[in-house]
Amino acid sequence: SLANFASRLAADQSKSVAVNFQGFMTKVSYNRYQPIFKELVHLVRNSIDHGIEIPDIRALQGKPDDGHLEFTARISDGHLTLIIEDDGQGIDSDSVKSKILKNKLLHPSEVEALSYQECLNYLFHPGLSTQSEATLISGRGYGLSAVKDAVDKMGGTIEIISEQGKGTSVTLVLPDKS
């Protein structure tokens, strides 16, 4: 299950994560989210590997030792909405801008003009990762690109919202084909 995977991954990184599900067990059956399970696993990896800090760092920031990872699912107006939220460090736009420049995706003046949200959207670009080096878990820059491709193929949308120091939320909106 996603909860067991998240707990094991966090423990492997000396992190502790409380996982909460809303709507998954009562309103959304496994068959509804199974086609994108691999993508949900990637989003869990990102939250734990990139987002949630180790307990010592969390304590310095006034956060509880346990990181928080929440999955919300709801169905309305013919759409399945899946939200994965963490209370980690959020996404550093300067780091993303640096990687955009390094990968020569935009001219420096264009990078400087990017809004925070426009900057976050570049995380879906193949090969762009904010990690300084790849690990066995993440950092190669293809995961979010693959998630976006899968969501696009299903006729859905994906959005990242993040606040530095507070956390990140990824929302997938998919046609409900139940």
Side-chain angles (χ1 to χ4, degrees), residues 144-156:
L144 281 178
S145 166
V147 172
K148 181 161 180 13
D149 288 348
V151 169
D152 287 347
K153 285 179 186 170
M154 294 177 75

Side-chain angles (χ1 to χ4, degrees), residues 152-165:
D152 287 347
K153 285 179 186 170
M154 294 177 75
T157 61
I158 184 170
E159 178 184 41
I160 299 175
I161 297 174
S162 186
E163 185 177 346
Q164 277 193 267

Side-chain angles (χ1 to χ4, degrees), residues 100-112:
I100 292 170
L101 286 170
K102 183 179 178 184
N103 291 0
K104 299 179 181 173
L105 300 175
L106 291 174
H107 186 273
S109 63
E110 294 172 307
V111 172
E112 193 59 39

Side-chain angles (χ1 to χ4, degrees), residues 109-169:
S109 63
E110 294 172 307
V111 172
E112 193 59 39
L114 289 175
S115 71
Y116 187 70
Q117 192 60 50
E118 289 169 332
C119 189
L120 294 182
N121 290 337
Y122 270 88
L123 292 173
F124 297 119
H125 193 278
L128 193 127
S129 174
T130 58
Q131 293 287 86
S132 55
E133 65 181 58
T135 68
L136 292 174
I137 297 164
S138 65
R140 290 169 294 283
Y142 292 96
L144 281 178
S145 166
V147 172
K148 181 161 180 13
D149 288 348
V151 169
D152 287 347
K153 285 179 186 170
M154 294 177 75
T157 61
I158 184 170
E159 178 184 41
I160 299 175
I161 297 174
S162 186
E163 185 177 346
Q164 277 193 267
K166 303 285 185 186
T168 301
S169 172

Side-chain angles (χ1 to χ4, degrees), residues 29-177:
S29 72
Y30 174 77
N31 291 335
R32 285 190 172 135
Y33 72 86
Q34 189 277 334
I36 58 158
F37 187 80
K38 182 172 65 171
E39 286 73 23
L40 294 177
V41 166
H42 180 77
L43 295 174
V44 169
R45 278 189 188 126
N46 273 3
S47 288
I48 293 172
D49 197 35
H50 297 287
I52 295 175
E53 310 91 343
I54 60 172
D56 292 348
I57 300 294
R58 291 180 65 81
L60 289 173
Q61 297 171 345
K63 294 179 178 181
D65 286 352
D66 289 350
H68 186 76
L69 186 59
E70 185 163 315
F71 297 88
T72 304
R74 64 178 174 265
I75 298 171
S76 66
D77 299 326
H79 290 90
L80 168 62
T81 301
L82 300 169
I83 304 168
I84 297 94
E85 295 178 276
D86 69 61
D87 70 343
Q89 63 188 344
I91 299 170
D92 178 6
S93 63
D94 289 337
S95 176
V96 177
K97 287 179 178 182
S98 174
K99 296 296 181 158
I100 292 170
L101 286 170
K102 183 179 178 184
N103 291 0
K104 299 179 181 173
L105 300 175
L106 291 174
H107 186 273
S109 63
E110 294 172 307
V111 172
E112 193 59 39
L114 289 175
S115 71
Y116 187 70
Q117 192 60 50
E118 289 169 332
C119 189
L120 294 182
N121 290 337
Y122 270 88
L123 292 173
F124 297 119
H125 193 278
L128 193 127
S129 174
T130 58
Q131 293 287 86
S132 55
E133 65 181 58
T135 68
L136 292 174
I137 297 164
S138 65
R140 290 169 294 283
Y142 292 96
L144 281 178
S145 166
V147 172
K148 181 161 180 13
D149 288 348
V151 169
D152 287 347
K153 285 179 186 170
M154 294 177 75
T157 61
I158 184 170
E159 178 184 41
I160 299 175
I161 297 174
S162 186
E163 185 177 346
Q164 277 193 267
K166 303 285 185 186
T168 301
S169 172
V170 179
T171 302
L172 296 91
V173 179
L174 307 165
D176 179 28
K177 297 179 179 177

